[in-house]
Amino acid sequence: MSTRRPDLDDLEVLALVARTESIGQAAQELRLSQPSVSRRMLALERRLGVTLLHRTTQGTTLTAHGRLVVDWAGELLGAADRFTRSVATLRAEGDRVVRAAVSMTIAEHYAPAWLARLHAAAPQLEVSLVVANSAEVERLVRSGAAELGFVEVPSAPDGLRRERVGEDRLVVAVAPRHPWAARTEPVTAAELAAGGVLVREAGSGTRVTLEEALRGEGHELEPGLVMASNSGLTHAAMAGMGPVALSERALEVHLRLDELRAVPLDEIALVRPLTAIWRSDTPLPDAAARLLAAAVAG
């Protein structure tokens, strides 16, 4: 007996033959020729190694084995229908759900406007948003856990498709009583590197931007306090723990209220692109493409 699995379409034809008790009637309902249906039933019997049908001039009836096979086929066909409906549901969800990952700075200061623009244009879409540092966003995109990622590192990761959606500027700021607050001369790259700057954790776009800018001037960052929180670093700087390097967007309220003061810098420019990334081996789903369009719009 063959171990090949039967074709589901052939089992559906068998079930129809059983219901109509006629190969000819089954062929008519299927809009096939009677010889074609007969050949399919014979092929199914050979594949299973079981006689399924009694064929007489009065019609076609099931053998005892045929009745068992039709019962089992009903369970199998029902499971196949449930599978098909479930996949269709997943496909429909994929058309309306965006799985995205964004860096912390983008989540706090840029993504809300993008999401509002997306909702206005396509209110039926849902966004599942993971907030992480830029290195983790890249990992989520590479693994397929996120369809679309947004990072703010100076150089976009290799092997991924990318599109620039804007730019962000870092500011180094200190409490009003910090010695740098009263300086008239810019802080040099060497002073900044050794100045105990309060920074984000390794892998964050903010820290990578600062480290690469300093390295370009021949200096390695000697960080002060390290935290995975923009707010925590801001308040630590306000408390006098040292200079902080964060997005201008994150510090603008505190600068306006004179709770922190921006430090003029010499030699280095701390501007980094905001970049959308996605896998190059997978087409960007329509819903994710609409989020990308909202980000590109500003």
Side-chain angles (χ1 to χ4, degrees):
M1 181 178 68
S2 171
T3 58
R4 293 170 58 196
R5 292 184 178 89
D7 187 284
L8 291 179
D9 289 341
D10 288 344
L11 292 179
E12 284 189 314
V13 173
L14 174 64
L16 183 57
V17 171
R19 179 171 62 79
T20 60
E21 297 187 347
S22 167
I23 288 179
Q25 182 62 36
Q28 187 175 355
E29 290 194 20
L30 293 169
R31 302 189 180 214
L32 298 172
S33 68
Q34 183 170 332
S36 173
V37 173
S38 293
R39 285 194 297 271
R40 290 181 69 165
M41 292 301 92
L42 287 169
L44 180 61
E45 287 177 321
R46 285 196 297 271
R47 180 170 295 179
L48 297 178
V50 173
T51 301
L52 303 173
L53 300 171
H54 285 305
R55 299 164 176 84
T56 69
T57 55
Q58 285 75 40
T60 304
T61 57
L62 294 171
T63 64
H65 287 163
R67 285 192 293 273
L68 284 173
V69 170
V70 167
D71 287 343
W72 296 335
E75 297 175 10
L76 184 58
L77 292 170
D81 285 341
R82 289 191 296 274
F83 172 81
T84 301
R85 289 194 298 271
S86 297
V87 171
T89 299
L90 284 178
R91 187 166 56 248
E93 289 179 351
D95 291 340
R96 64 180 178 83
V97 178
V98 186
R99 293 180 295 114
V102 299
S103 67
M104 188 175 297
T105 298
I106 291 175
E108 292 178 351
H109 303 289
Y110 295 94
W114 302 345
L115 295 176
R117 188 176 297 111
L118 176 66
H119 180 72
Q124 77 280 6
L125 295 183
E126 301 175 14
V127 180
S128 173
L129 201 66
V130 175
V131 180
N133 66 33
S134 290
E136 178 64 8
V137 169
E138 177 188 346
R139 188 195 68 78
L140 291 170
V141 170
R142 289 190 188 279
S143 71
E147 298 159 331
L148 184 63
F150 293 93
V151 295
E152 78 267 351
V153 291
S155 303
D158 292 333
L160 295 173
R161 296 189 64 184
R162 68 197 72 176
E163 184 165 347
R164 183 168 176 153
V165 300
E167 69 177 28
D168 181 65
R169 187 170 75 94
L170 295 188
V171 170
V172 176
V174 295
R177 61 184 176 275
H178 189 279
W180 288 1
R183 282 185 58 147
T184 56
E185 294 296 321
V187 172
T188 67
E191 289 177 305
L192 186 61
V197 180
L198 315 182
V199 291
R200 288 281 305 281
E201 77 285 2
S204 79
T206 300
R207 180 160 172 176
V208 170
T209 300
L210 180 61
E211 288 177 330
E212 289 193 7
L214 290 173
R215 199 169 291 130
E217 297 298 326
H219 304 286
E220 290 294 329
L221 177 68
E222 300 173 23
L225 177 68
V226 177
M227 292 182 69
S229 166
N230 289 349
S231 177
L233 290 171
T234 300
H235 285 87
M238 290 165 57
M241 291 188 65
V244 67
L246 287 174
S247 168
E248 185 176 38
R249 291 283 191 98
L251 299 176
E252 59 185 350
V253 172
H254 305 286
L255 295 171
R256 189 167 61 248
L257 296 175
D258 199 37
E259 295 170 333
L260 289 171
R261 294 181 183 173
V263 174
L265 300 179
D266 190 22
E267 302 168 353
I268 61 173
L270 299 177
V271 177
R272 72 262 183 89
L274 306 178
T275 305
I277 56 173
W278 64 98
R279 287 174 54 159
S280 57
D281 61 346
T282 304
L284 194 61
D286 180 67
R290 299 190 74 164
L291 175 57
L292 174 59
V296 170

